[in-house]
Amino acid sequence: MDSQKIQFLSQDSFEILKRLENNSPVKWGVMNAQQMIEHLADFYNVSAEKIPCKLYTSEEHLPAYKAFLLSDKVFRENTKAPVELLGDEPRPLRFATLAEAKDNLKKSVSDFAEYFNKDKERKTLHPVFGFLNFDEWVLLHYKHVQHHLKQFGLINAA
C-alpha cells in the first residue's frame, strides 16, 4: 500500500482543490471545473460499487492496460474514456455549487476508503482497466486526479 498516494488522495488533493474556482481556466478538454469535480467523484463511486458499470475493454487488451496502471506513466492530455461510458459531452451538473460538488467528492473519497477498509483485496470493476483491488484503485485514482489537476493548471505537468 502506498501511503503517500493515499495521503494525496484523501488530504493533499483537497488542499490543492481549494484554488479551483468556477472560472478556473482549462488547458484541454471540454469539462468545466465543477464537471471535473463531479467526474472524479463518479469514479470513486464506481470503485466502491455505488455506480454499476460494465467492462468496455476486450479481454486481450486488459494486460496492456494493467501494465500501464502499474507503471509510472501518466495519462496524456486529452485522454478520453470510451464514448459509450461518458458520452461526447460532459454530463449535466448535479450540484448547485462548486463547493457542494467538492464536499461530495470528499464524501466519495471517504466512502471509497471505507468500502475497502475491511478487505483491501476485494476487487471491483473499472470499465476500462477491469477488476482492481484497493491498491490498484489507489494507483488509478492517483493518476486520474493528477491528470485533472494538471488539466486545470493546479499542479505542473511532469
Side-chain angles (χ1 to χ4, degrees), residues 3-149:
S3 59
Q4 286 182 312
K5 286 180 175 61
I6 293 169
Q7 164 85 23
F8 178 83
L9 294 171
S10 63
Q11 295 177 19
D12 301 345
S13 63
F14 290 102
E15 285 301 311
I16 294 167
L17 285 171
K18 286 180 180 177
R19 300 192 322 262
L20 184 69
E21 299 178 1
N22 283 320
N23 61 353
S24 291
V26 62
K27 292 184 172 197
W28 71 82
V30 295
M31 286 189 282
N32 65 35
Q34 186 169 332
Q35 288 166 330
M36 181 269 288
I37 294 294
E38 292 185 17
H39 165 77
L40 290 176
D42 285 347
F43 275 93
Y44 279 102
N45 291 335
V46 165
S47 61
E49 296 187 311
K50 288 184 167 193
I51 297 176
C53 66
K54 69 176 201 166
L55 183 63
Y56 290 94
T57 304
S58 62
E59 290 289 329
E60 71 263 12
H61 291 121
L62 285 174
Y65 280 87
K66 184 72 72 111
F68 165 80
L69 173 60
L70 298 175
S71 76
D72 290 335
K73 294 178 182 175
V74 299
F75 289 114
R76 292 179 292 195
E77 291 182 11
N78 285 309
T79 298
K80 295 186 190 294
V83 171
E84 304 88 2
L85 179 62
L86 295 181
D88 284 327
E89 297 295 320
R91 294 185 174 160
L93 296 176
R94 295 185 307 276
F95 294 92
T97 67
L98 179 60
E100 287 177 31
K102 287 180 184 181
D103 288 342
N104 179 65
L105 176 58
K106 283 182 187 174
K107 181 178 181 337
S108 296
V109 172
S110 177
D111 290 350
F112 160 73
E114 181 63 29
Y115 185 78
F116 282 92
N117 191 38
K118 292 186 175 112
D119 184 3
K120 299 280 195 263
E121 290 306 312
R122 173 191 307 220
K123 292 188 176 193
T124 61
L125 181 63
H126 183 279
V128 174
F129 290 91
F131 283 94
L132 305 176
N133 66 27
F134 177 75
D135 290 337
E136 293 165 333
W137 273 110
V138 167
L139 286 171
L140 182 55
H141 285 306
Y142 181 80
K143 287 182 184 211
H144 190 222
V145 170
Q146 293 242 323
H147 172 74
H148 286 294
L149 294 177

